[in-house]
Amino acid sequence: MTFYALFLPFVVALFAPALTRILKHNAAWVLALAPAALFVHFLGFLGAVADGGRVTGGVQWIPSFNVNFSWMIDGLSLTFALLISGIGTLIVLYSGGYLKGHKHQGRFFSFILMFMGSMQGLVLSDSFLMLFVFWELTSITSFLLIGFNHAEERSRRSAIQALVVTGLGGLSLLAGLLVIWNITGVSEMSLLLSTGNLLRDSPFFIAAFVLVLGGAFTKSAQFPFHFWLPNAMEAPTPVSAYLHSATMVKAGVYLLMRLNPVMGDTVAWETVLPIFGGVTLIAGTLLGARQTDLKLMLAYTTIASLGLLVMLTGFGTEGAIAGAVLYLIAHSMFKGGLFMVAGNVDHEAGTRDITRLGGLAGAMPVTFVAALFAAISMGGLPPFVGFLAKEEIYYGLAKGDTWSVVFTIVAIVGNALMFVLGFAVALKPFLGPKVETPKHAHEGPVLLLAGPAVLALGSLFFALFSGWSHEHFSTPMASAVMGHAAEITISVIPHLGLALYLSIGTIALGVLLYLSLAKIRSGMAALLAGIGWGPDRGFDQAIVGIVKLSVAVTRLVQRGRLEFYITATLIFLALAILVPMGIAGEWPTVPAFPDLYFYEWLLVLIAVLGLFAVIWARNRLTAIVSLGIQGFAVAVYFMLLGAPDLSFTQFMVETLSVVILALAMTRLRLSPQDHRSAVQTVTDGIIALAAGGALTLLLLRVLETDFDASLTEFFNEYSLQIAHGRNIVNVILVDFRGIDTFGEIAVVMTSGLAILALIRVLPRRSRSALSEPPKNPENAGEAV
């Protein structure tokens, strides 16, 4: 059943455009049944996972490499799967209201469902290869969603930027998974988690660690790869809400949590992750304070939240992991709700600029309450799940050593700034005097309200019924991240202690900073203006540099002259053969010349005469005809050696080659004689001799090796038995390597069609000019 569940979103995506054409925006109600069904399906695993179980399954994918299409459901993957399918249901409904009347709404539904399926497959993957495939699918589908408004240049740039950054990270992850596979000998996560210290003790651990971080940090927008995420706000708001709450940006965090049991508890892990996560946390909140666009403010707090999750995952203590688990759940709900609130404000009031909004609470009461609930959770206040997360974070970080003190301070500052931004989004557009907006503000339809309302209530429910929530969600998830049994017991009732005091201090600092938000915004604007440069601009500079380098290399190696290409190819061919052979000192011995019959000597003489005929031919047409002499001589040799079928093939090839080349040359302006200088002629001769001599030496060296008759025996045994042919050569060409032969025929046909097209598109005047003898024979060859 889980196998089919993995493909359900992709199947439904196929029918989304047609269904939307029939039902318009109401198609959202029907399409939302798919993620809702997935949510119900995964709820069925709660009991087994809560009891400490792990559900695995799969089918063979590439048996020869022991690669399976396998999945694993434990506390970590199940929580992610429920968030993806549950919030995905609300996002599909929200998209129906937000994009109502959009001419491409059906296509959007298709993209968002494929995106959902990609993320669902990623978190459930057990096989390394399956994980990588779905990892890259999230990049591709997010590219389609971010660039949905493809007529706008900013959307196209943002989509390309996200694809380049996360795509390169995906290649890094692939290399990392291959290194892990090589170290441990396993290709599935469930098996990897049972290898103990095998990966940590390997001398290649650092290589695997760095490569995995390359994938995780780019996907989860860790500094300095954070710049693509705010630019992704060019996507429609439903994409932003889904991207930031439960899907792509948390893929990197998921990967780090998944690998914590086998890569954690090392100096590299517990140093690099907290440092980069802490820097990302502070940088994200400060950059968010600079913004006035509601979506951008929320986007930068997502960067900060991802930094906090990475920092906690790297910190490694059981309390820190528990805090990361609770905060991930809390963030998914309050961030999804706040993004949908921002979309509602933009949709109904006509602007997202916080400086142009105010007094909307009366016109949009439900949206305001949902925003307030989400902000309370984001600010870490009871009785919402954000409060549980913040208390657990401080409990896990607040130790007596210097390292812990530093990151506790980082967490306090970061949480205080997120408190500021959360309440700024929830309060400033709704409270205060009424501000005239571009559109007459009013409450949105139920499709727009269902998402933020359900997520706000879900955040409250999780905290109020924390005992049940911990048993089924947070405790199994923390156990999976830790790699051993763990238990989370924190409740919504505050308990006196250091964590509570730090939480109160965070709130007090947040209130002070909230009152000074305008000053912080102007200060950050001045600071960023003073710095002037940033990773986003650096990305553009890197792309421009790559383009300039490509142009320079192209001008160097693609000079538009066939003569240059052939010369370069022959030079590098000779070097590729002669240099390794010379370094290894494996020159072939010169074989003794065989005794030949007089008629065989005659064939050798004909071939040699043909060679000189080609060299001394006065024009190209004569050289082409003379070139066939060698081919015919070889064909006769094949016949004398008892291979008439091969001889016939050679005769046909040589005949057709000469005829086709001769016909083509009659359509081109050919110089009557070789226009090259003596120096160029000698140089070309040396290059030709070097390439021909290199190939000769290579063939002689191959002939000195022991003959392996295994292929001969195979074809002798199976040509008749499998391919039902007695002519082994024909069977090889048509059956055993039939696709290769078909490819060769296709290449020849394509080349012929290209030549025909080039000749036919020439203007009549040019054709007549080509058929006339050149007026200046000295330079006539340059026209070719």
Side-chain angles (χ1 to χ4, degrees), residues 182-475:
N182 183 264
I183 293 172
T184 62
V186 300
S187 60
E188 294 186 343
M189 286 291 177
S190 56
L191 298 177
L192 178 65
L193 297 177
S194 63
T195 57
N197 291 324
L198 182 60
L199 181 58
R200 282 185 280 251
D201 294 340
S202 170
F204 300 104
F205 170 77
I206 293 299
F209 172 70
V210 172
L211 291 170
V212 166
L213 286 195
F217 278 15
T218 52
K219 205 76 160 183
S220 286
Q222 296 301 286
F223 181 88
F225 306 109
H226 64 282
F227 55 89
W228 72 266
L229 188 53
N231 291 332
M233 294 303 96
E234 292 299 322
T237 298
V239 178
S240 304
Y242 201 32
L243 189 78
H244 287 251
S245 61
T247 53
M248 180 172 160
V249 295
K250 285 196 172 72
V253 173
Y254 166 81
L255 180 66
L256 295 176
M257 288 182 168
R258 174 59 73 201
L259 294 176
N260 182 67
V262 292
M263 301 188 83
D265 197 23
T266 59
V267 175
W269 185 272
E270 295 182 352
T271 302
V272 175
L273 266 63
I275 290 176
F276 277 87
V279 170
T280 305
L281 169 60
I282 300 302
T285 50
L286 290 175
L287 291 171
R290 163 67 180 86
Q291 307 302 321
T292 59
D293 184 293
L294 293 176
K295 283 179 63 175
L296 284 176
M297 294 171 68
L298 293 172
Y300 279 107
T301 60
T302 296
I303 293 174
S305 297
L306 295 171
L308 178 60
L309 289 169
V310 170
M311 184 181 82
L312 293 170
T313 303
F315 206 77
T317 65
E318 188 168 324
I321 295 299
V325 166
L326 288 172
Y327 188 78
L328 187 144
I329 296 171
H331 178 266
S332 297
M333 290 191 279
F334 70 65
K335 188 54 64 70
L338 283 175
F339 261 109
M340 285 188 265
V341 165
N344 286 355
V345 172
D346 186 24
H347 192 272
E348 305 302 334
T351 181
R352 297 195 306 261
D353 190 339
I354 200 171
T355 62
R356 300 175 59 193
L357 293 168
L360 295 178
M364 307 176 68
V366 178
T367 302
F368 171 58
V369 172
L372 185 60
F373 281 16
I376 291 173
S377 183
M378 184 173 177
L381 299 175
F384 289 85
V385 64
F387 170 75
L388 305 184
K390 189 168 62 175
E391 295 293 292
E392 200 68 57
I393 289 171
Y394 290 148
Y395 174 77
L397 293 178
K399 308 299 179 184
D401 57 285
T402 304
W403 184 258
S404 300
V405 170
V406 169
F407 286 103
T408 301
I409 294 172
V410 169
I412 291 172
V413 174
N415 282 330
L417 287 169
M418 281 196 282
F419 176 98
V420 173
L421 295 175
F423 278 102
V425 172
L427 297 182
K428 288 188 176 295
F430 298 98
L431 300 183
K434 184 75 169 64
V435 177
E436 289 299 323
T437 54
K439 294 170 62 176
H440 176 67
H442 57 85
E443 195 62 271
V446 65
L447 285 172
L448 293 178
L449 296 177
V454 170
L455 290 176
L457 294 175
S459 183
L460 179 62
F461 176 89
F462 192 100
L464 293 179
F465 298 92
S466 57
W468 183 88
S469 302
H470 293 327
E471 178 185 355
H472 292 89
F473 298 102
S474 47
T475 292

Side-chain angles (χ1 to χ4, degrees), residues 516-527:
S516 306
L517 180 58
K519 295 181 180 179
I520 296 174
R521 182 181 297 126
S522 60
M524 282 301 302
L527 177 62

Side-chain angles (χ1 to χ4, degrees), residues 485-763:
E487 186 178 8
I488 300 177
T489 59
I490 189 170
S491 68
V492 74
I493 301 174
H495 297 279
L496 293 178
L498 180 59
L500 179 61
Y501 301 145
L502 294 176
S503 182
I504 294 173
T506 302
I507 296 170
L509 178 60
V511 172
L512 292 175
L513 294 176
Y514 179 85
L515 297 175
S516 306
L517 180 58
K519 295 181 180 179
I520 296 174
R521 182 181 297 126
S522 60
M524 282 301 302
L527 177 62
L528 293 175
I531 295 174
W533 186 89
D536 187 46
R537 183 178 299 180
F539 174 84
D540 290 336
Q541 292 170 343
I543 295 298
V544 170
I546 291 172
V547 172
K548 289 183 177 179
L549 177 63
S550 302
V551 171
V553 172
T554 302
R555 287 177 177 172
L556 177 65
V557 300
Q558 299 286 336
R559 309 177 73 176
R561 291 183 61 86
L562 181 61
E563 180 182 358
F564 171 78
Y565 302 150
I566 295 175
T567 302
T569 301
L570 292 177
I571 290 174
F572 284 103
L573 173 65
L575 291 175
I577 297 174
L578 296 176
V579 171
M581 197 176 290
I583 294 175
E586 296 182 353
W587 299 103
T589 57
V590 179
F593 205 84
D595 294 331
L596 300 177
Y597 294 102
F598 74 94
Y599 54 83
E600 292 176 326
W601 279 109
L602 183 61
L603 287 175
V604 171
L605 178 62
I606 291 173
V608 172
L609 290 176
L611 173 65
F612 283 100
V614 173
I615 295 174
W616 275 296
R618 295 183 59 83
N619 57 66
R620 290 184 177 88
L621 192 58
T622 304
I624 291 170
V625 175
S626 302
L627 189 62
I629 297 175
Q630 284 78 34
F632 286 120
V634 172
V636 174
Y637 262 116
F638 287 154
M639 184 179 293
L640 294 176
L641 294 175
D645 52 350
L646 195 58
S647 174
F648 176 75
T649 302
Q650 182 73 15
F651 273 122
M652 293 300 298
V653 169
E654 289 298 328
T655 302
L656 289 174
S657 298
V658 171
V659 170
I660 293 173
L661 287 172
L663 289 174
M665 289 301 173
T666 59
R667 307 299 299 271
L668 300 175
R669 181 187 299 173
L670 302 174
S671 58
Q673 60 185 11
D674 195 341
H675 63 279
R676 293 175 297 178
S677 63
V679 174
Q680 187 177 1
T681 301
V682 172
T683 302
D684 291 346
I686 294 172
I687 294 172
L689 290 173
L695 287 172
T696 302
L697 292 174
L698 178 63
L699 290 174
L700 291 175
R701 186 70 186 86
V702 170
L703 291 174
E704 289 180 351
T705 60
D706 296 333
F707 178 69
D708 185 356
S710 58
L711 276 179
T712 304
E713 296 169 357
F714 173 84
F715 289 128
N716 285 336
E717 181 177 357
Y718 292 108
S719 290
L720 180 60
Q721 181 179 344
I722 296 178
H724 309 290
R726 298 181 182 276
N727 189 315
I728 296 177
V729 174
N730 288 349
V731 169
I732 292 173
L733 292 175
V734 177
D735 292 280
F736 288 111
R737 48 164 290 187
I739 294 178
D740 187 21
T741 304
F742 177 78
E744 293 175 352
I745 295 172
V747 169
V748 173
M749 182 186 70
T750 304
S751 302
L753 291 174
I755 293 171
L756 178 64
L758 288 172
I759 292 174
R760 290 178 66 88
V761 299
L762 288 173

